[in-house]
Amino acid sequence: MPLLIKAEHISHKFAQTEVLNDVSLEIHSGEIVTLIGPNGAGKSTLLKILLDLLKPSSGKVTKKTDLKIGFMPQKIQIDPTLPMTVKHFLNLGRPKQNASESRWKNFFNFSAHDTTEIQEVIDELNIRHLLEQPIQKVSGGQMQRILLARALIREPDLLVLDEPVQGVDLQGQTELYHFINELRKRRNIGILMVSHDLHIVMKNTDQVLCLNQHLCCSGTPQTVTQTPEFIAIFGQGSSEFAVYEHHHNHDQCDMAHGHHHHTHPASDKEIN
């Protein structure tokens, strides 16, 4: 699998406070990597460094030539008085004008015979009926799907999702996980998901990275949850969680298990 992005020995300080210490990772095409860790673990800082929004105090990030990254933020603030439809909001995410602009010129005509990838994404994410609505009026779950569609407009090689199911109900989480995995298969893109919550570790994740200023453990969802380092962060009860295991056959079953254990007191205490 082609290498998309590689971070080597990343460390970072804000004033005299070290927030990242010697973090290294790789993400390849067709791979889903989930970065988890408690609040304050340095996930947001690492994300900014990977996205070239912040220069690390030490270490380096190398990327595939002409790497295109689609970023789905945790949330976005839009002025409530700004007149903006969902269609306009999506339009703002279009690629800048270049030699391939012609393929996008009728992008928002939404003709019945349009078969472009983004048209498929709009239908698969079930947001076509929202296109003329004010962006400020959509629900939390609808907004997450809109943000995901906007991230995909650039046809990225790497899709970065920051807390993608925050504020989304159980059914919405299941649908989003399914879509992300199908997207990985269809486009062979790399996907990095970031979360403070163990339950985001979906069954199709190839690698879990547990961050707490440094990478304290990594591996498959099954192996990571058994490590002493993981248990020390998420609590003694964390090993009892159902972590969307590969041998589960139904997304709904997996999501139901995850939801059932979401209120485990030991883990909630540690995470929050």
Side-chain angles (χ1 to χ4, degrees):
M1 295 186 293
L3 179 66
L4 297 178
I5 191 167
K6 181 178 183 178
E8 299 177 88
H9 307 294
I10 299 295
S11 296
H12 194 71
K13 288 183 178 180
F14 289 114
Q16 298 303 311
T17 303
E18 186 174 60
V19 292
L20 292 174
N21 177 21
D22 196 25
V23 174
S24 297
L25 61 86
E26 295 183 0
I27 304 173
H28 299 80
S29 295
E31 180 180 34
I32 298 180
V33 175
T34 301
L35 180 68
I36 62 171
N39 289 323
K43 300 187 302 300
S44 295
T45 301
L46 179 58
L47 200 58
K48 289 176 183 176
I49 291 171
L50 293 176
L51 295 173
D52 281 338
L53 300 175
L54 181 66
K55 183 176 175 58
S57 301
S58 63
K60 67 175 182 176
V61 175
T62 54
K63 299 175 181 177
K64 167 193 165 187
T65 305
D66 298 324
L67 177 70
K68 290 186 293 184
I69 297 178
F71 177 54
M72 176 181 167
Q74 182 180 146
K75 56 186 175 181
I76 190 167
Q77 297 293 333
I78 301 175
D79 189 325
T81 65
L82 185 67
M84 182 183 294
T85 63
V86 170
K87 182 161 60 175
H88 185 195
F89 179 74
L90 289 173
N91 199 26
L92 292 174
R94 291 171 63 183
K96 294 178 181 178
Q97 182 146 359
N98 53 40
S100 64
E101 178 67 17
S102 59
R103 62 178 295 206
W104 301 93
K105 64 182 179 181
N106 295 319
F107 190 73
F108 284 98
N109 286 349
F110 300 107
S111 68
H113 303 291
D114 196 335
T115 59
T116 61
E117 178 73 20
I118 191 61
Q119 300 294 338
E120 295 175 10
V121 167
I122 285 171
D123 287 331
E124 286 177 304
L125 288 172
N126 192 26
I127 60 172
R128 186 173 293 274
H129 66 290
L130 301 172
L131 293 174
E132 301 299 335
Q133 288 193 23
I135 189 70
Q136 296 90 345
K137 299 295 185 182
V138 301
S139 70
Q142 290 169 339
M143 189 63 185
Q144 294 302 83
R145 298 201 301 274
I146 291 165
L147 288 173
L148 179 54
R150 192 173 186 270
L152 293 170
I153 285 175
R154 297 186 63 84
E155 296 189 331
D157 307 297
L158 175 63
L159 178 63
V160 180
L161 312 171
D162 188 8
E163 305 277 4
V165 298
Q166 183 161 301
V168 180
D169 63 23
L170 191 60
Q171 180 179 350
Q173 291 181 29
T174 306
E175 292 171 352
L176 192 61
Y177 289 142
H178 177 75
F179 179 81
I180 289 170
N181 191 46
E182 289 301 310
L183 189 69
R184 178 260 294 264
K185 292 177 183 177
R186 188 169 69 245
R187 293 196 189 185
N188 196 40
I189 64 176
I191 296 173
L192 172 64
M193 294 197 294
V194 182
S195 179
H196 72 282
D197 191 338
L198 170 62
H199 299 89
I200 191 99
V201 182
M202 56 187 288
K203 69 173 185 177
N204 298 110
T205 290
D206 299 298
Q207 183 177 194
V208 178
L209 306 175
C210 186
L211 183 70
N212 195 13
Q213 279 74 58
H214 66 287
L215 285 179
C216 56
C217 51
S218 63
T220 66
Q222 295 82 2
T223 58
V224 164
T225 55
Q226 305 304 314
T227 63
E229 295 86 359
F230 181 93
I231 294 172
I233 293 173
F234 287 101
Q236 290 295 325
S238 61
S239 61
E240 299 175 17
F241 278 87
V243 191
Y244 312 145
E245 296 179 359
H246 290 273
H247 62 259
H248 284 188
N249 295 321
H250 303 289
D251 285 350
Q252 190 61 46
C253 171
D254 298 337
M255 296 306 299
H257 277 291
H259 182 68
H260 173 72
H261 290 285
H262 185 70
T263 56
H264 193 288
S267 220
D268 279 357
K269 181 179 179 182
E270 295 294 331
I271 293 172
N272 299 324

